[in-house]
Amino acid sequence: MATTSTERVRVFQVATGNVGSEMIKRIGKHPDLELIGVHCYTPEKVGRDAGEIIGTGPIGVIATGTVEEIIAARPDCVTFHGVWPDFDLYERVLEAGINVVTTADWITGHHRNANYPNSGGKQPSEVLEDACQRGGSTFYGTGMNPGLAQVLTVVNTANIAEIENVICIESVDVSCHHSVDTWVNTGFGLPVDDPETVRRLELGTRVFEDGVRLMADCLGMELDEVVFEHDLGACTKDVDLGWYMLPAGSLGGCYLKYVGKRDGVSKVELHLEWQMTQHTEPHWDIKGGYVTKIQGDPCVYSKQRILPKPGTDFRDATALAAMGMTVTGMPALNAVRSVVDAPAGCITSADLPLRAFAGRFVH
């Protein structure tokens, strides 16, 4: 279903965790969007005002807890900000003609198809595509990384005559990302010499392969494989982050690579330089942003550094966490109008116009 440029897009948000709570605040100020509903998985939240749930005071939107209530509200788009995908919810709202934009573990669908095949014999991407076609709706996955970071890298290749190798790097302090489920899933806090640590780390980050494949698709490069490489940083002492414990000898930082190869040669890479504590060996010099390195004719080095808005206390962990949640969720919110106006089906960032990657002036 399409909207005109003067109509606000009616949004029903799913989840009120770290990203979801921040996005409810942002939707309220977004000139394109109108929040008409919030779906919660926690029974204690259902029936409460969404503003009270996120600590801002009442906003007049009462949290619901069933997919039927989402469908009955007839939103233009569902914005999904849970940690993990909910494919049953996706399928039902898509076949009801409601578009979906999600920040949960989906960019191209390759990772989900390869590592979480559907029990019914269809790949997850096939299930979603079929639902889109039945309902005439659109499904789009994004985020900061994977997601917008790869778009920034692709744009930096636009003036290159001959490309040899492309690298997108995320270099960040992840201690302000207060998602216990995420870090348990990726092995942080487990001993670095435990094979389970590397297994979890790869499985928990394999969606970044989608980022490699998105870039390769945009660059016209057909890859033979995408391999995982890792360097682990062990905590030199017990570290208490206040919301997470990292025992001495456990994973407290890492440098990961997802390397896309053609004929055995690295062509497209995505690197993750993550430091949860400075007390690790080895230790990485965090850049606080996203770096693009391109070998070719000519060569390019580009960095996007993300800083809190002026006046923010850098010692305020809550403010820094909110900034991280903002840059994660805003690529989804700013793309909503373009997704609603897009043809039916599962799409990637390569299918959207440039305005889908533009922010908005708030008047």
Side-chain angles (χ1 to χ4, degrees):
M1 70 184 65
T3 64
T4 68
S5 60
T6 59
E7 293 178 326
R8 299 179 76 189
V9 181
R10 301 171 70 252
V11 170
F12 204 117
Q13 181 172 297
V14 174
T16 57
N18 293 321
V19 177
S21 292
E22 190 64 33
M23 289 306 99
I24 288 175
K25 302 172 189 175
R26 302 298 181 176
I27 290 172
K29 298 180 180 180
H30 200 291
D32 286 358
L33 310 177
E34 177 189 358
L35 183 68
I36 67 163
V38 171
H39 174 90
C40 292
Y41 290 98
T42 305
E44 291 76 18
K45 293 181 179 180
V46 175
R48 295 176 58 196
D49 188 284
E52 293 178 343
I53 291 173
I54 65 172
T56 63
I59 61 174
V61 176
I62 304 303
T64 59
T66 68
V67 177
E68 288 79 8
E69 288 167 300
I70 298 175
I71 295 172
R74 302 302 301 165
D76 300 309
C77 187
V78 161
T79 53
F80 186 98
H81 298 300
V83 177
W84 314 119
D86 184 338
F87 286 96
D88 178 66
L89 182 149
Y90 292 165
E91 183 178 13
R92 292 178 63 188
V93 299
L94 288 168
E95 67 183 2
I98 301 167
N99 305 284
V100 175
V101 173
T102 179
T103 55
D105 205 46
W106 187 285
I107 300 296
T108 68
H110 182 277
H111 152 66
R112 280 280 153 181
N113 288 345
N115 299 306
Y116 297 95
N118 188 281
S119 59
K122 287 186 176 181
Q123 299 284 25
S125 60
E126 292 178 304
V127 172
L128 297 182
E129 181 66 31
D130 288 348
C132 286
Q133 296 307 321
R134 292 196 300 271
S137 54
T138 307
F139 179 85
Y140 174 59
T142 187
M144 182 63 222
N145 188 35
L148 180 59
Q150 287 72 62
V151 176
L152 297 176
T153 294
V154 168
V155 169
N156 273 287
T157 69
N159 57 357
I160 307 299
E162 299 176 11
I163 300 174
E164 297 176 7
N165 173 266
V166 173
I167 302 177
C168 172
I169 305 170
E170 177 179 75
S171 179
V172 294
D173 180 336
V174 295
S175 64
C176 61
H177 186 66
H178 299 172
S179 174
V180 172
D181 289 345
T182 297
W183 302 116
V184 168
N185 190 65
T186 50
F188 273 75
L190 292 180
V192 295
D193 56 0
D194 185 341
E196 176 67 9
T197 303
V198 174
R199 189 194 74 81
R200 283 200 199 179
L201 190 58
E202 180 177 3
L203 185 60
T205 62
R206 199 72 208 190
V207 67
F208 288 93
E209 178 179 348
D210 278 20
V212 174
R213 294 190 177 277
L214 173 65
M215 290 187 288
D217 175 49
C218 291
L219 300 171
M221 170 57 61
E222 186 173 343
L223 301 173
D224 296 327
E225 60 178 346
V226 177
V227 299
F228 172 73
E229 301 175 4
H230 62 275
D231 191 6
L232 308 183
C235 292
T236 56
K237 63 177 184 178
D238 291 346
V239 177
D240 183 357
L241 297 173
W243 60 276
Y244 203 66
M245 283 294 302
L246 299 168
S250 71
L251 180 66
C254 60
Y255 197 107
L256 310 180
K257 297 181 181 180
Y258 280 93
V259 182
K261 297 183 178 183
R262 176 68 180 269
D263 298 327
V265 178
S266 171
K267 294 295 185 181
V268 184
E269 305 180 28
L270 197 163
H271 298 184
L272 305 171
E273 190 175 49
W274 286 350
Q275 196 80 53
M276 189 170 284
T277 172
Q278 297 181 359
H279 304 291
T280 67
E281 180 59 40
H283 174 81
W284 290 274
D285 180 21
I286 296 303
K287 310 299 188 300
Y290 298 84
V291 176
T292 291
K293 295 181 179 180
I294 303 169
Q295 292 296 317
D297 181 15
C299 297
V300 168
Y301 178 94
S302 176
K303 179 169 73 173
Q304 184 196 51
R305 191 176 181 197
I306 298 175
L307 301 170
K309 70 178 182 180
T312 301
D313 186 348
F314 279 75
R315 297 166 298 179
D316 185 347
T318 301
L320 294 178
M323 181 183 70
M325 299 308 102
T326 296
V327 299
T328 296
M330 287 310 298
L333 296 195
N334 285 326
V336 165
R337 184 177 292 282
S338 294
V339 172
V340 169
D341 291 342
C346 294
I347 62 173
T348 73
S349 295
D351 303 308
L352 290 174
L354 182 59
R355 62 179 54 87
F357 309 103
R360 303 294 189 272
F361 287 96
V362 177
H363 302 291

